[in-house]
C-alpha cells in the first residue's frame, strides 16, 4: 500500500497487477504530481496513459468527469481498483481504448507522454478530431523523456507549444490548438517477415514494431509441432509467434492474448491478411494475463515474458504469466518461453512445475519448456 498525498487530497494507490510487495514500487510519479498541480478548467477531462490511475482517482476525488484513454487494459483495471480502494465514484469515469473514436470535446487534456513517438503521434491525431482552441492540453513525463522530437510532434499536430521548468526531474508540455489543418500520417507499419511469405502489420504501440525482435526470431526456431487442442500465444504482440505455431500445428486452435488493444488488433490484422483461411482456428482477446480462462483446458502456452512494467524493472508480471499458465494447462500440457539468459526463470519454472528443460539457447536467449504433470 502506498499513500499519494498532495495539498488537496490523500489517496491509497496500488500498482496492478499487484506485486506481492506493495511498498517496493509506488503507483505514481513526479509527472503525476506536477500535472495535478496545474489549474484545470471546469468541464470534462481526458486523461491519457494514466499508468495506475493516480490522475483519474485524484480528479474524481475533486468531483471531475474523467475519460480514461489508454492502450493498456491493466492500466485501466488499476484505475478501477484504486477508485474502489478509495471509495470514489466510479460512475464519473468513462474508459476508452486506444483505437476507439473520442466522443466529446474536452475542457482539458492531461497526457502522460509515452516513450513511443508513434503512439504519441496517434494519440495527438485522435485528440485533433475533438479539441478546440479553448481546450487546455498539458503533457507530463520525466524530463529525460521529453525530447525535441516530442515537442515537434505537439507543434506539428496541435500548434503552439512550450515547456515548463523541471521539477523533481519531471517536465510539462503546454500546447494550444493553433494549426488549422494538418495531414495525419498512416501510423501502422508493415514489413515482410524474413523467410516467410507474410507481411507483418503493426499498430503504433506494438513492441518492436519496426522489425522482428531477436528474441522472437530465436523463439520461432524452437516452437512445438504437431499439437492438437488449444494453444495460447500469451503476450502475443503482433502475433508472429502464434502465426508460426498455427502453421506448425494444423490440428490446434490458437488464442492470441495481450493486455494491449493495439497488440491484439495487430495480431488479428496479421492473421486476416496472411492466414485468412485459418481465421476460424483463431481467437483474439484483450485480457489481464489469463484471468477468466478455464483451468485444466489448454495444450500449450507460448510466451515471451516481460521483465519490466512501465518504467520499472520487475519480474512479477512474468511470474503471474507462469502461474496462470500452470492453472490453465491440462495435464501433459506445456509452457514454453523465451527469455534473456541472465533471468532466473528456469528456477522459477522448476519450482512451479517440478520440471524445466532447455529446448534451445544461444549467447543471448534461452528457450525453456515445463510440462504440467499429475
Amino acid at each position: 500500500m502506498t499513500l499519494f498525498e498532495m495539498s488537496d487530497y490523500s489517496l491509497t494507490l496500488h500498482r496492478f497487477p499487484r506485486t506481492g510487495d506493495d511498498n517496493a514500487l509506488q503507483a505514481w510519479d513526479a509527472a503525476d504530481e506536477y500535472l495535478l498541480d496545474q489549474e484545470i478548467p471546469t468541464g470534462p477531462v481526458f486523461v491519457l496513459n494514466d499508468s495506475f490511475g493516480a490522475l483519474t482517482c485524484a480528479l474524481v476525488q475533486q468531483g471531475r468527469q474523467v475519460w480514461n484513454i489508454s492502450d493498456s487494459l491493466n492500466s485501466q483495471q488499476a484505475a478501477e481498483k484504486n477508485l474502489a480502494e478509495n471509495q470514489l465514484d466510479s460512475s464519473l469515469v468513462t474508459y476508452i481504448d486506444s483505437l476507439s473514436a473520442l466522443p466529446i470535446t474536452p475542457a482539458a487534456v492531461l497526457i502522460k507522454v509515452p516513450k513511443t513517438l508513434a503512439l504519441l503521434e496517434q494519440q495527438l491525431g485522435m485528440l485533433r478530431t475533438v479539441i478546440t482552441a479553448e481546450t487546455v492540453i498539458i503533457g507530463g513525463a520525466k524530463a529525460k523523456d521529453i525530447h525535441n522530437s516530442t515537442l515537434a510532434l505537439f507543434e506539428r499536430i496541435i500548434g503552439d507549444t512550450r515547456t515548463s521548468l523541471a521539477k523533481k526531474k519531471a517536465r510539462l508540455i503546454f500546447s494550444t490548438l493553433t494549426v488549422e489543418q494538418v495531414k495525419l500520417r498512416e501510423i501502422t507499419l508493415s514489413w515482410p517477415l524474413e523467410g516467410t511469405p507474410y507481411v507483418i502489420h503493426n499498430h503504433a504501440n506494438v513492441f518492436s514494431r519496426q522489425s522482428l525482435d531477436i528474441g522472437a526470431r530465436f523463439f520461432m526456431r524452437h516452437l512445438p509441432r504437431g499439437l492438437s487442442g488449444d494453444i495460447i500465444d500469451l503476450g502475443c504482440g503482433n502475433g508472429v509467434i502464434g502465426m508460426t505455431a498455427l502453421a506448425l500445428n494444423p490440428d490446434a486452435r490458437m488464442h492470441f492474448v495481450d493486455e494491449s488493444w493495439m497488440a491484439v488488433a495487430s495480431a488479428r490484422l496479421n492473421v486476416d491478411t496472411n492466414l485468412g483461411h485459418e481465421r476460424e482456428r483463431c481467437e483474439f482477446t484483450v485480457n489481464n494475463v489469463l484471468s477468466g480462462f478455464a483451468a485444466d483446458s489448454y495444450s500449450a502456452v507460448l510466451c515471451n515474458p516481460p521483465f519490466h512494467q512501465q518504467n520499472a524493472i520487475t519480474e512479477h508480471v512474468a511470474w503471474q504469466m507462469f502461474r496462470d499458465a500452470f492453472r490453465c494447462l491440462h495435464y501433459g500440457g506445456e509452457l514454453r518461453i523465451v527469455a534473456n539468459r541472465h533471468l532466473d526463470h528456469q528456477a522459477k519454472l522448476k519450482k512451479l512445475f517440478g520440471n524445466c528443460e532447455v529446448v534451445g539457447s544461444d549467447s543471448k536467449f534461452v528457450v525453456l519448456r515445463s510440462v504440467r504433470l499429475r
Side-chain angles (χ1 to χ4, degrees):
M1 180 174 67
T2 53
L3 197 61
F4 180 34
E5 292 184 295
M6 291 186 68
S7 58
D8 296 336
Y9 46 79
S10 176
L11 295 165
T12 298
L13 300 176
H14 302 277
R15 296 172 75 95
F16 181 82
R18 298 286 284 272
T19 64
D21 180 2
D22 286 340
N23 295 315
L25 297 167
Q26 69 181 27
W28 75 91
D29 59 22
D32 292 317
E33 296 177 351
Y34 209 170
L35 283 164
L36 291 168
D37 204 28
Q38 305 307 302
E39 185 175 342
I40 302 171
T42 57
V45 181
F46 282 0
V47 174
L48 281 75
N49 311 320
D50 192 5
S51 299
F52 301 104
L55 296 173
T56 299
C57 289
L59 291 167
V60 168
Q61 194 173 64
Q62 298 171 13
R64 308 297 294 263
Q65 193 81 39
V66 178
W67 275 255
N68 180 305
I69 303 161
S70 178
D71 187 50
S72 169
L73 174 65
N74 284 356
S75 291
Q76 294 188 333
Q77 289 180 325
E80 288 181 324
K81 292 180 181 298
N82 283 321
L83 286 166
E85 174 76 27
N86 292 277
Q87 299 180 326
L88 296 170
D89 185 358
S90 61
S91 69
L92 292 174
V93 183
T94 300
Y95 296 96
I96 300 176
D97 68 74
S98 56
L99 294 172
S100 294
L102 301 179
I104 65 167
T105 294
V109 175
L110 301 183
I111 176 169
K112 291 291 292 294
V113 178
K115 286 188 174 181
T116 307
L117 279 177
L119 178 59
L120 176 61
E121 184 172 358
Q122 185 264 354
Q123 291 180 330
L124 294 179
M126 286 177 62
L127 289 171
R128 173 79 202 206
T129 65
V130 294
I131 59 175
T132 70
E134 286 69 46
T135 304
V136 173
I137 303 168
I138 312 174
K142 291 181 179 180
K144 67 182 182 66
D145 292 332
I146 295 178
H147 310 285
N148 289 338
S149 56
T150 312
L151 302 178
L153 274 181
F154 276 90
E155 290 171 343
R156 180 173 69 83
I157 299 174
I158 306 298
D160 291 346
T161 297
R162 62 183 177 85
T163 59
S164 72
L165 297 174
K167 182 179 180 181
K168 293 184 180 179
K169 298 183 180 180
R171 192 180 296 277
L172 299 182
I173 299 170
F174 301 91
S175 195
T176 303
L177 181 61
T178 57
V179 176
E180 292 185 2
Q181 291 184 334
V182 62
K183 184 177 181 180
L184 298 176
R185 300 188 304 170
E186 173 57 53
I187 304 299
T188 303
L189 277 184
S190 302
W191 37 264
L193 181 59
E194 180 183 335
T196 75
Y198 304 154
V199 175
I200 302 303
H201 307 270
N202 301 270
H203 284 288
N205 198 38
V206 176
F207 174 71
S208 192
R209 68 188 294 265
Q210 296 182 325
S211 62
L212 181 65
D213 79 276
I214 55 176
R217 186 185 304 276
F218 184 68
F219 198 20
M220 288 168 62
R221 306 204 315 256
H222 297 91
L223 293 176
R225 298 169 179 264
L227 297 180
S228 59
D230 291 76
I231 301 173
I232 298 173
D233 181 0
L234 180 56
C236 65
N238 60 23
V240 167
I241 297 302
M243 289 173 58
T244 305
L246 195 67
L248 295 174
N249 299 274
D251 295 324
R253 289 183 54 79
M254 183 63 58
H255 299 255
F256 296 84
V257 182
D258 204 293
E259 65 99 26
S260 159
W261 276 276
M262 289 189 177
V264 173
S266 297
R268 183 185 293 110
L269 177 59
N270 286 324
V271 169
D272 287 345
T273 56
N274 296 289
L275 294 169
H277 59 290
E278 303 286 13
R279 182 63 168 79
E280 63 181 15
R281 290 203 287 136
C282 300
E283 292 187 16
F284 304 88
T285 308
V286 179
N287 205 67
N288 168 35
V289 193
L290 296 178
S291 61
F293 277 63
D296 311 320
S297 301
Y298 295 88
S299 299
V301 176
L302 311 174
C303 186
N304 182 356
F307 56 89
H308 58 82
Q309 184 185 30
Q310 308 291 344
N311 295 317
I313 296 175
T314 174
E315 295 182 10
H316 78 278
V317 176
W319 187 234
Q320 182 184 353
M321 287 177 160
F322 301 160
R323 290 199 311 268
D324 279 11
F326 181 82
R327 175 181 60 81
C328 291
L329 288 168
H330 60 55
Y331 291 116
E334 68 169 83
L335 169 66
R336 191 172 296 209
I337 73 166
V338 64
N340 294 81
R341 291 185 63 90
H342 70 274
L343 299 174
D344 192 25
H345 288 334
Q346 191 167 0
K348 291 183 175 65
L349 292 177
K350 193 167 185 178
K351 179 179 179 181
L352 180 61
F353 284 82
N355 64 90
C356 183
E357 66 172 307
V358 177
V359 176
S361 65
D362 65 9
S363 60
K364 290 182 178 291
F365 300 102
V366 61
V367 175
L368 304 174
R369 176 180 183 265
S370 290
V371 179
R372 187 179 179 193
L373 303 176
R374 290 188 182 275

